[in-house]
Amino acid sequence: MYIVPERAIADLMTRKAAFDAVEQVFAAMAAGDAYNFPVVREAIGHEDALYGFKGGFDRAGLTLGLKAGGYWPNNLEKRGLINHQSTVFLFDPDTGKVRAMVGGNLLTALRTAAASSVSIKHLAREDAKVIGMIGAGHQAKFQLRAALEQREFDKVIGWNLHPDMLPNLEEVATEAGLPFEAVELDGLKEADVIISITSSFDAILKADQVSPGTHIACMGTDTKGKQEVDPELLVRADVFTDEVAQSISIGEAQHAVAQGLIAEADVAQLGAVINGAHPGRTSAEQITLFDGTGVGLQDLAVASSVVELAIKQGIAIEVDF
Ligand code: NAD
């Protein structure tokens, strides 16, 4: 088997490789060639940790495996380690033998950024110029960096509950040679594309704070109870997601569905747009919303891609197992 340690990932994995892997696996999911296994997530009663498994099988890409890991809230303070910890295990689908063990921390950030980026490629207006961010934490920087590669943006605007974190967004904008402006939520009406990536449990963005023609990627809501936007926005928008079952139970659509404002059938798979089975955006006035809940197959796709890169570059550690 091969081992690709966490420390090797940054030099191996590119945003382009993550984008391609995620785009392909979303397409395979919509074609019925790939499926996610039920997610296990447990409070283990030790160190306040949440631990679990996200797995799946992609018959088209021949990727089988799982991501094991979770959240250890005391890591940083007690041990100087990051709180999110995960490892991906890949198996040979022909034999069941373990193929690789891959550090999953940076890969999680890259695959999440790739998801909103894939949604922008397929759903945002071609002439999008202003990108708006809601959220300015660790993941926001990854989302923004990847998004900026999808359109010829000329300005970044942003809002965050904690304004002291906004320099994180300004840093990425400056890196890309773009101006950054902090705005109030009403100011997001100027945005052609909006990404929300927060830990919020209440709607932040109101439906009337979004202009016609905007594409929104809601990326923070990945658990029951979390929420970033007004459910009314999901009524106004055409709603797309990575996986419908997750979208309506733990994603942003959970609230609009629970309130009877939209039905499961109103949520389409982004993969269907990639495959050409769904038209996606059909007008310049339409609001499109991507509910990115995060699926195990995304993790497996980027891990499989990084293993191939590591083998090619002679960096993968081979062990007899
Ligand atoms: P972080 O702790 O670095 O940043 C949290 C962000 O949320 C900050 O901008 C903070 O100001 C904001 N925030 C915190 N509490 C808030 C509240 N009550 N109302 C509004 N904003 C609030 O976290 P991160 O690593 O950037 O992750 C952000 C979110 O993205 C988390 O909720 C995480 O679970 C989620 N996430 C989703 C996926 C996915 O695949 N969809 C993947 C990774 C992370």
Side-chain angles (χ1 to χ4, degrees):
M1 71 176 282
Y2 294 103
I3 297 174
V4 185
E6 185 66 44
R7 65 180 145 74
I9 306 287
D11 290 334
L12 280 169
M13 196 61 182
T14 61
R15 280 195 293 282
K16 167 91 174 78
F19 182 98
D20 290 346
V22 169
E23 187 180 44
Q24 271 166 31
V25 84
F26 280 173
M29 282 163 58
D33 287 332
Y35 72 108
N36 292 287
F37 304 155
V39 175
V40 173
R41 200 161 163 88
E42 295 286 321
I44 59 171
H46 179 74
E47 287 289 349
D48 300 321
L50 284 174
Y51 176 70
F53 313 108
K54 277 187 167 185
F57 179 42
D58 175 1
R59 219 173 279 117
L62 288 181
T63 311
L64 173 69
L66 60 92
K67 177 167 88 169
Y71 188 70
W72 275 258
N74 308 322
N75 271 3
L76 193 59
E77 231 165 79
K78 276 196 189 169
R79 303 182 175 88
L81 294 171
I82 63 170
N83 294 349
H84 288 276
Q85 289 293 334
S86 64
T87 308
V88 179
F89 297 88
L90 297 174
F91 297 84
D92 179 343
D94 296 336
T95 63
K97 266 181 72 86
V98 64
R99 170 161 166 75
M101 180 169 101
V102 187
N105 297 348
L106 178 58
L107 284 183
T108 301
L110 290 169
R111 66 81 148 142
T112 305
S116 52
S117 191
V118 169
S119 83
I120 293 167
K121 173 181 168 186
H122 292 279
L123 294 171
R125 293 192 334 270
E126 285 298 332
D127 64 351
K129 291 290 175 216
V130 178
I131 182 162
M133 297 293 298
I134 299 174
H138 173 75
Q139 194 59 45
K141 294 174 74 172
F142 286 89
Q143 305 301 133
L144 180 57
R145 231 177 245 128
L148 290 177
E149 290 167 346
Q150 292 309 315
R151 291 293 185 270
E152 298 277 313
F153 290 109
D154 58 22
K155 186 176 172 186
V156 180
I157 61 179
W159 178 91
N160 195 46
L161 181 67
H162 309 103
D164 54 309
M165 294 167 90
L166 287 170
N168 282 337
L169 300 178
E170 183 162 19
E171 186 189 315
V172 178
T174 305
E175 215 177 84
L178 297 178
F180 173 76
E181 192 189 317
V183 294
E184 295 302 323
L185 287 167
D186 273 337
L188 287 165
K189 285 181 194 157
E190 191 192 346
D192 304 303
V193 170
I194 298 172
I195 299 176
S196 59
I197 181 79
T198 70
S199 314
S200 175
F201 278 81
D202 292 300
I204 299 168
L205 189 68
K206 305 270 181 336
D208 64 4
Q209 290 168 326
V210 178
S211 294
T214 303
H215 172 64
I216 309 165
C218 297
M219 302 303 298
T221 302
D222 56 0
T223 306
K224 205 167 172 53
K226 278 190 182 174
Q227 186 175 22
E228 296 190 300
V229 304
D230 183 354
E232 201 52 48
L233 189 55
L234 284 91
V235 179
R236 273 185 70 195
D238 287 281
V239 182
F240 299 84
T241 187
D242 38 25
E243 189 180 271
V244 176
Q246 285 202 176
S247 169
I248 64 170
S249 57
I250 59 167
E252 196 61 43
Q254 63 179 292
H255 306 286
V257 169
Q259 291 170 29
L261 297 174
I262 65 167
E264 179 174 347
D266 296 321
V267 183
Q269 274 185 293
L270 177 59
V273 182
I274 300 168
N275 287 337
H278 188 294
R281 171 176 292 280
T282 51
S283 85
E285 285 74 46
Q286 189 181 0
I287 295 174
T288 51
L289 186 149
F290 173 63
D291 183 4
T293 64
V295 292
L297 280 169
Q298 276 171 267
D299 297 299
L300 305 188
V302 290
S304 173
S305 172
V306 92
V307 169
E308 295 317 311
L309 288 165
I311 293 171
K312 218 178 278 173
Q313 296 183 25
I315 289 165
I317 302 162
E318 193 169 3
V319 293
D320 198 12
F321 184 78

